[in-house]
Amino acid sequence: DAGITQSPRYKITETGRQVTLMCHQTWSHSYMFWYRQDLGHGLRLIYYSAAADITDKGEVPDGYVVSRSKTENFPLTLESATRSQTSVYFCASSGRGGSPGDTQYFGPGTRLTVL
Amino acid sequence: KNEVEQSPQNLTAQEGEFITINCSYSVGISALHWLQQHPGGGIVSLFMLSSGKKKHGRLIATINIQEKHSSLHITASHPRDSAVYICAVRQGGGADGLTFGKGTHLIIQP
């Protein structure tokens, strides 16, 4: 029972480079989410997806792109990384029954550093 | 103005003490979540509430929808309860992600 996984767990990149963070869940959950966690701000929603091919912006979407061609995968791409995107990124999923109000299950996080 | 406010921000207590962490929110919600983040960084969902009270082991969560307030209680606290506890709300009106408080850093000393 793999649950929800993220890769890589740690990433160091340079300003201007493209970076893709991967998220994979094995529960066939309908809903998937990307959050970032920063000191002083707590967790904030970047993007979410209600189903394959359906995505929507959260609180802090600028500089990020998402896609969801398959239910189990929800990659997050930083098209041109900036230092302000240094953060810990968490993926989450919910909704065995398709309800967004269900418990959210979090991945282990990806610590991204942009130099 | 943060839509979800938690108090206290930091709490240190002795093993065995009864712990209360409070969460107030200013928006309409469809559900409130309590999460635990361990020192290693992993986040675990403890409770999801839309009304009333839930209990799991030594943890109790309550919510008062009219007062827009929730509390998380820990009875007979133990050093392994040391973690950051985060309150989060799912707002009504179609926004599907969670809005988070900044967390309460709890340390239980033996």
Side-chain angles (χ1 to χ4, degrees):
Chain A
D1 185 2
I4 183 166
T5 57
Q6 293 182 235
S7 61
R9 295 293 313 280
Y10 302 91
K11 176 74 176 178
I12 300 174
T13 191
E14 295 177 337
T15 301
R17 291 192 179 265
Q18 183 180 81
V19 177
T20 296
L21 309 184
M22 303 301 295
C23 179
H24 175 78
Q25 51 101 358
T26 59
W27 295 306
S28 299
H29 281 171
S30 300
Y31 283 78
M32 295 187 75
F33 308 86
W34 274 108
Y35 299 99
R36 60 178 289 174
Q37 186 175 37
D38 305 289
L39 281 173
H41 287 285
L43 284 149
R44 292 178 290 176
L45 178 67
I46 305 171
Y47 268 96
Y48 65 96
S49 169
D53 297 322
I54 301 174
T55 62
D56 210 344
K57 296 178 180 179
E59 181 184 353
V60 288
D62 292 344
Y64 302 96
V65 174
V66 293
S67 62
R68 196 167 175 206
S69 58
K70 293 184 178 181
T71 300
E72 60 267 30
N73 296 324
F74 191 38
L76 176 74
T77 297
L78 289 65
E79 292 190 303
S80 179
T82 65
R83 289 194 181 91
S84 66
Q85 292 178 309
T86 293
S87 186
V88 181
Y89 292 84
F90 288 95
C91 179
S93 69
S94 74
R96 294 176 201 266
S99 167
D102 286 350
T103 297
Q104 291 198 12
Y105 297 87
F106 288 78
T110 294
R111 185 174 295 274
L112 176 68
T113 301
V114 183
L115 301 176
Chain B
K1 179 178 179 294
N2 200 19
E3 294 169 327
V4 182
E5 298 280 355
Q6 286 186 238
S7 63
Q9 289 185 352
N10 298 284
L11 178 58
T12 300
Q14 295 298 120
E15 183 173 356
E17 288 189 36
F18 182 82
I19 304 299
T20 295
I21 299 171
N22 295 301
C23 176
S24 297
Y25 53 92
S26 59
V27 295
I29 69 168
S30 57
L32 182 142
H33 298 245
W34 281 103
L35 309 167
Q36 181 190 54
Q37 186 168 28
H38 293 283
I43 299 174
V44 174
S45 181
L46 298 174
F47 295 103
M48 186 185 67
L49 296 161
S50 56
S51 65
K53 176 180 174 179
K54 288 190 176 180
K55 184 176 188 292
H56 185 250
R58 295 180 294 104
L59 301 178
I60 302 166
T62 64
I63 188 169
N64 185 318
I65 296 294
Q66 287 73 28
E67 294 186 3
K68 296 185 175 178
H69 181 270
S70 176
S71 292
L72 176 69
H73 305 287
I74 305 174
T75 62
S77 59
H78 190 276
R80 65 175 175 266
D81 297 326
S82 299
V84 177
Y85 293 84
I86 303 170
C87 172
V89 300
R90 178 178 177 268
Q91 298 182 32
D96 288 331
L98 297 177
T99 301
F100 298 82
K102 294 184 178 181
T104 294
H105 188 193
L106 175 66
I107 297 173
I108 304 297
Q109 295 178 335

PDB file of all heavy atoms in Angstrom, chain A residues 26-44:
ATOM      1  N   THR A  26      -1.985   6.084  -5.030  1.00  0.00           N
ATOM      2  CA  THR A  26      -2.443   4.758  -5.461  1.00  0.00           C
ATOM      3  C   THR A  26      -3.887   4.469  -5.048  1.00  0.00           C
ATOM      4  O   THR A  26      -4.364   3.351  -5.208  1.00  0.00           O
ATOM      5  CB  THR A  26      -1.531   3.666  -4.868  1.00  0.00           C
ATOM      6  OG1 THR A  26      -1.569   3.755  -3.434  1.00  0.00           O
ATOM      7  CG2 THR A  26      -0.097   3.830  -5.346  1.00  0.00           C
ATOM      8  N   TRP A  27      -4.581   5.481  -4.507  1.00  0.00           N
ATOM      9  CA  TRP A  27      -5.933   5.246  -4.002  1.00  0.00           C
ATOM     10  C   TRP A  27      -7.043   5.568  -4.996  1.00  0.00           C
ATOM     11  O   TRP A  27      -8.213   5.433  -4.669  1.00  0.00           O
ATOM     12  CB  TRP A  27      -6.161   6.104  -2.754  1.00  0.00           C
ATOM     13  CG  TRP A  27      -5.300   5.742  -1.596  1.00  0.00           C
ATOM     14  CD1 TRP A  27      -5.160   4.508  -1.033  1.00  0.00           C
ATOM     15  CD2 TRP A  27      -4.479   6.630  -0.836  1.00  0.00           C
ATOM     16  NE1 TRP A  27      -4.295   4.585   0.043  1.00  0.00           N
ATOM     17  CE2 TRP A  27      -3.870   5.872   0.189  1.00  0.00           C
ATOM     18  CE3 TRP A  27      -4.203   8.000  -0.897  1.00  0.00           C
ATOM     19  CZ2 TRP A  27      -2.987   6.429   1.112  1.00  0.00           C
ATOM     20  CZ3 TRP A  27      -3.333   8.556   0.032  1.00  0.00           C
ATOM     21  CH2 TRP A  27      -2.741   7.773   1.022  1.00  0.00           C
ATOM     22  N   SER A  28      -6.690   6.070  -6.173  1.00  0.00           N
ATOM     23  CA  SER A  28      -7.702   6.538  -7.135  1.00  0.00           C
ATOM     24  C   SER A  28      -8.548   7.668  -6.556  1.00  0.00           C
ATOM     25  O   SER A  28      -9.741   7.791  -6.873  1.00  0.00           O
ATOM     26  CB  SER A  28      -8.613   5.386  -7.598  1.00  0.00           C
ATOM     27  OG  SER A  28      -7.862   4.392  -8.251  1.00  0.00           O
ATOM     28  N   HIS A  29      -7.936   8.483  -5.701  1.00  0.00           N
ATOM     29  CA  HIS A  29      -8.636   9.648  -5.184  1.00  0.00           C
ATOM     30  C   HIS A  29      -8.946  10.629  -6.303  1.00  0.00           C
ATOM     31  O   HIS A  29      -8.144  10.840  -7.214  1.00  0.00           O
ATOM     32  CB  HIS A  29      -7.784  10.360  -4.134  1.00  0.00           C
ATOM     33  CG  HIS A  29      -7.799   9.707  -2.800  1.00  0.00           C
ATOM     34  ND1 HIS A  29      -6.954  10.083  -1.776  1.00  0.00           N
ATOM     35  CD2 HIS A  29      -8.569   8.719  -2.293  1.00  0.00           C
ATOM     36  CE1 HIS A  29      -7.205   9.350  -0.714  1.00  0.00           C
ATOM     37  NE2 HIS A  29      -8.170   8.507  -1.000  1.00  0.00           N
ATOM     38  N   SER A  30     -10.128  11.244  -6.189  1.00  0.00           N
ATOM     39  CA  SER A  30     -10.527  12.210  -7.216  1.00  0.00           C
ATOM     40  C   SER A  30      -9.734  13.508  -7.094  1.00  0.00           C
ATOM     41  O   SER A  30      -9.295  14.072  -8.080  1.00  0.00           O
ATOM     42  CB  SER A  30     -12.020  12.521  -7.089  1.00  0.00           C
ATOM     43  OG  SER A  30     -12.792  11.360  -7.252  1.00  0.00           O
ATOM     44  N   TYR A  31      -9.583  13.988  -5.857  1.00  0.00           N
ATOM     45  CA  TYR A  31      -9.009  15.304  -5.637  1.00  0.00           C
ATOM     46  C   TYR A  31      -7.516  15.210  -5.307  1.00  0.00           C
ATOM     47  O   TYR A  31      -7.090  14.353  -4.530  1.00  0.00           O
ATOM     48  CB  TYR A  31      -9.722  16.026  -4.493  1.00  0.00           C
ATOM     49  CG  TYR A  31     -11.054  16.594  -4.899  1.00  0.00           C
ATOM     50  CD1 TYR A  31     -12.170  15.776  -5.016  1.00  0.00           C
ATOM     51  CD2 TYR A  31     -11.199  17.950  -5.175  1.00  0.00           C
ATOM     52  CE1 TYR A  31     -13.389  16.290  -5.416  1.00  0.00           C
ATOM     53  CE2 TYR A  31     -12.421  18.475  -5.563  1.00  0.00           C
ATOM     54  CZ  TYR A  31     -13.508  17.641  -5.679  1.00  0.00           C
ATOM     55  OH  TYR A  31     -14.712  18.160  -6.068  1.00  0.00           O
ATOM     56  N   MET A  32      -6.748  16.105  -5.911  1.00  0.00           N
ATOM     57  CA  MET A  32      -5.338  16.233  -5.570  1.00  0.00           C
ATOM     58  C   MET A  32      -4.994  17.707  -5.437  1.00  0.00           C
ATOM     59  O   MET A  32      -5.612  18.563  -6.087  1.00  0.00           O
ATOM     60  CB  MET A  32      -4.451  15.547  -6.624  1.00  0.00           C
ATOM     61  CG  MET A  32      -4.662  14.035  -6.666  1.00  0.00           C
ATOM     62  SD  MET A  32      -3.508  13.166  -7.726  1.00  0.00           S
ATOM     63  CE  MET A  32      -2.018  13.199  -6.722  1.00  0.00           C
ATOM     64  N   PHE A  33      -3.997  17.973  -4.581  1.00  0.00           N
ATOM     65  CA  PHE A  33      -3.666  19.347  -4.202  1.00  0.00           C
ATOM     66  C   PHE A  33      -2.145  19.518  -4.139  1.00  0.00           C
ATOM     67  O   PHE A  33      -1.431  18.584  -3.791  1.00  0.00           O
ATOM     68  CB  PHE A  33      -4.226  19.668  -2.803  1.00  0.00           C
ATOM     69  CG  PHE A  33      -5.680  19.359  -2.621  1.00  0.00           C
ATOM     70  CD1 PHE A  33      -6.090  18.084  -2.252  1.00  0.00           C
ATOM     71  CD2 PHE A  33      -6.631  20.339  -2.808  1.00  0.00           C
ATOM     72  CE1 PHE A  33      -7.433  17.787  -2.076  1.00  0.00           C
ATOM     73  CE2 PHE A  33      -7.982  20.052  -2.635  1.00  0.00           C
ATOM     74  CZ  PHE A  33      -8.383  18.784  -2.273  1.00  0.00           C
ATOM     75  N   TRP A  34      -1.704  20.727  -4.434  1.00  0.00           N
ATOM     76  CA  TRP A  34      -0.326  21.115  -4.174  1.00  0.00           C
ATOM     77  C   TRP A  34      -0.334  22.294  -3.211  1.00  0.00           C
ATOM     78  O   TRP A  34      -1.020  23.299  -3.430  1.00  0.00           O
ATOM     79  CB  TRP A  34       0.395  21.529  -5.456  1.00  0.00           C
ATOM     80  CG  TRP A  34       0.995  20.385  -6.199  1.00  0.00           C
ATOM     81  CD1 TRP A  34       0.565  19.843  -7.367  1.00  0.00           C
ATOM     82  CD2 TRP A  34       2.171  19.651  -5.827  1.00  0.00           C
ATOM     83  NE1 TRP A  34       1.381  18.806  -7.748  1.00  0.00           N
ATOM     84  CE2 TRP A  34       2.387  18.672  -6.816  1.00  0.00           C
ATOM     85  CE3 TRP A  34       3.079  19.722  -4.756  1.00  0.00           C
ATOM     86  CZ2 TRP A  34       3.447  17.779  -6.776  1.00  0.00           C
ATOM     87  CZ3 TRP A  34       4.124  18.827  -4.716  1.00  0.00           C
ATOM     88  CH2 TRP A  34       4.308  17.870  -5.725  1.00  0.00           C
ATOM     89  N   TYR A  35       0.484  22.163  -2.147  1.00  0.00           N
ATOM     90  CA  TYR A  35       0.656  23.222  -1.170  1.00  0.00           C
ATOM     91  C   TYR A  35       2.143  23.539  -1.048  1.00  0.00           C
ATOM     92  O   TYR A  35       2.996  22.686  -1.265  1.00  0.00           O
ATOM     93  CB  TYR A  35       0.166  22.782   0.213  1.00  0.00           C
ATOM     94  CG  TYR A  35      -1.294  22.418   0.293  1.00  0.00           C
ATOM     95  CD1 TYR A  35      -1.698  21.079   0.248  1.00  0.00           C
ATOM     96  CD2 TYR A  35      -2.267  23.394   0.434  1.00  0.00           C
ATOM     97  CE1 TYR A  35      -3.045  20.737   0.350  1.00  0.00           C
ATOM     98  CE2 TYR A  35      -3.609  23.059   0.541  1.00  0.00           C
ATOM     99  CZ  TYR A  35      -3.983  21.726   0.494  1.00  0.00           C
ATOM    100  OH  TYR A  35      -5.310  21.402   0.591  1.00  0.00           O
ATOM    101  N   ARG A  36       2.436  24.770  -0.628  1.00  0.00           N
ATOM    102  CA  ARG A  36       3.792  25.103  -0.238  1.00  0.00           C
ATOM    103  C   ARG A  36       3.779  25.565   1.204  1.00  0.00           C
ATOM    104  O   ARG A  36       2.791  26.162   1.676  1.00  0.00           O
ATOM    105  CB  ARG A  36       4.411  26.164  -1.152  1.00  0.00           C
ATOM    106  CG  ARG A  36       3.702  27.489  -1.207  1.00  0.00           C
ATOM    107  CD  ARG A  36       4.436  28.478  -2.117  1.00  0.00           C
ATOM    108  NE  ARG A  36       5.696  28.928  -1.513  1.00  0.00           N
ATOM    109  CZ  ARG A  36       6.587  29.705  -2.131  1.00  0.00           C
ATOM    110  NH1 ARG A  36       6.363  30.132  -3.364  1.00  0.00           N
ATOM    111  NH2 ARG A  36       7.702  30.076  -1.525  1.00  0.00           N
ATOM    112  N   GLN A  37       4.866  25.266   1.912  1.00  0.00           N
ATOM    113  CA  GLN A  37       4.961  25.627   3.323  1.00  0.00           C
ATOM    114  C   GLN A  37       6.192  26.482   3.534  1.00  0.00           C
ATOM    115  O   GLN A  37       7.318  26.063   3.243  1.00  0.00           O
ATOM    116  CB  GLN A  37       5.048  24.383   4.214  1.00  0.00           C
ATOM    117  CG  GLN A  37       5.006  24.711   5.696  1.00  0.00           C
ATOM    118  CD  GLN A  37       4.971  23.481   6.567  1.00  0.00           C
ATOM    119  OE1 GLN A  37       5.605  22.474   6.276  1.00  0.00           O
ATOM    120  NE2 GLN A  37       4.203  23.536   7.651  1.00  0.00           N
ATOM    121  N   ASP A  38       5.967  27.683   4.052  1.00  0.00           N
ATOM    122  CA  ASP A  38       7.030  28.637   4.298  1.00  0.00           C
ATOM    123  C   ASP A  38       6.921  29.164   5.711  1.00  0.00           C
ATOM    124  O   ASP A  38       5.816  29.371   6.223  1.00  0.00           O
ATOM    125  CB  ASP A  38       6.925  29.823   3.320  1.00  0.00           C
ATOM    126  CG  ASP A  38       6.908  29.382   1.880  1.00  0.00           C
ATOM    127  OD1 ASP A  38       7.955  28.937   1.405  1.00  0.00           O
ATOM    128  OD2 ASP A  38       5.841  29.476   1.235  1.00  0.00           O
ATOM    129  N   LEU A  39       8.090  29.433   6.325  1.00  0.00           N
ATOM    130  CA  LEU A  39       8.089  30.028   7.659  1.00  0.00           C
ATOM    131  C   LEU A  39       7.346  31.356   7.619  1.00  0.00           C
ATOM    132  O   LEU A  39       7.556  32.166   6.716  1.00  0.00           O
ATOM    133  CB  LEU A  39       9.519  30.253   8.136  1.00  0.00           C
ATOM    134  CG  LEU A  39      10.256  29.030   8.674  1.00  0.00           C
ATOM    135  CD1 LEU A  39      11.704  29.372   8.956  1.00  0.00           C
ATOM    136  CD2 LEU A  39       9.572  28.493   9.924  1.00  0.00           C
ATOM    137  N   GLY A  40       6.481  31.550   8.572  1.00  0.00           N
ATOM    138  CA  GLY A  40       5.746  32.805   8.645  1.00  0.00           C
ATOM    139  C   GLY A  40       4.454  32.816   7.857  1.00  0.00           C
ATOM    140  O   GLY A  40       3.595  33.674   8.095  1.00  0.00           O
ATOM    141  N   HIS A  41       4.319  31.880   6.928  1.00  0.00           N
ATOM    142  CA  HIS A  41       3.088  31.826   6.131  1.00  0.00           C
ATOM    143  C   HIS A  41       2.289  30.544   6.382  1.00  0.00           C
ATOM    144  O   HIS A  41       1.107  30.488   6.092  1.00  0.00           O
ATOM    145  CB  HIS A  41       3.413  31.909   4.644  1.00  0.00           C
ATOM    146  CG  HIS A  41       3.845  33.262   4.186  1.00  0.00           C
ATOM    147  ND1 HIS A  41       2.959  34.319   4.008  1.00  0.00           N
ATOM    148  CD2 HIS A  41       5.064  33.756   3.889  1.00  0.00           C
ATOM    149  CE1 HIS A  41       3.628  35.374   3.606  1.00  0.00           C
ATOM    150  NE2 HIS A  41       4.897  35.070   3.532  1.00  0.00           N
ATOM    151  N   GLY A  42       2.928  29.538   6.856  1.00  0.00           N
ATOM    152  CA  GLY A  42       2.240  28.266   6.977  1.00  0.00           C
ATOM    153  C   GLY A  42       2.047  27.634   5.609  1.00  0.00           C
ATOM    154  O   GLY A  42       2.752  27.930   4.641  1.00  0.00           O
ATOM    155  N   LEU A  43       1.071  26.783   5.512  1.00  0.00           N
ATOM    156  CA  LEU A  43       0.776  26.084   4.264  1.00  0.00           C
ATOM    157  C   LEU A  43      -0.174  26.914   3.410  1.00  0.00           C
ATOM    158  O   LEU A  43      -1.152  27.470   3.916  1.00  0.00           O
ATOM    159  CB  LEU A  43       0.114  24.733   4.571  1.00  0.00           C
ATOM    160  CG  LEU A  43       1.054  23.642   5.067  1.00  0.00           C
ATOM    161  CD1 LEU A  43       0.338  22.694   6.011  1.00  0.00           C
ATOM    162  CD2 LEU A  43       1.640  22.880   3.886  1.00  0.00           C
ATOM    163  N   ARG A  44       0.094  26.967   2.112  1.00  0.00           N
ATOM    164  CA  ARG A  44      -0.773  27.687   1.193  1.00  0.00           C
ATOM    165  C   ARG A  44      -1.025  26.864  -0.056  1.00  0.00           C
ATOM    166  O   ARG A  44      -0.119  26.192  -0.553  1.00  0.00           O
ATOM    167  CB  ARG A  44      -0.150  29.038   0.811  1.00  0.00           C
ATOM    168  CG  ARG A  44      -0.073  30.029   1.949  1.00  0.00           C
ATOM    169  CD  ARG A  44       0.587  31.320   1.510  1.00  0.00           C
ATOM    170  NE  ARG A  44       2.005  31.143   1.249  1.00  0.00           N
ATOM    171  CZ  ARG A  44       2.806  32.088   0.775  1.00  0.00           C
ATOM    172  NH1 ARG A  44       2.317  33.269   0.474  1.00  0.00           N
ATOM    173  NH2 ARG A  44       4.085  31.841   0.583  1.00  0.00           N
TER     174      ARG A  44
END
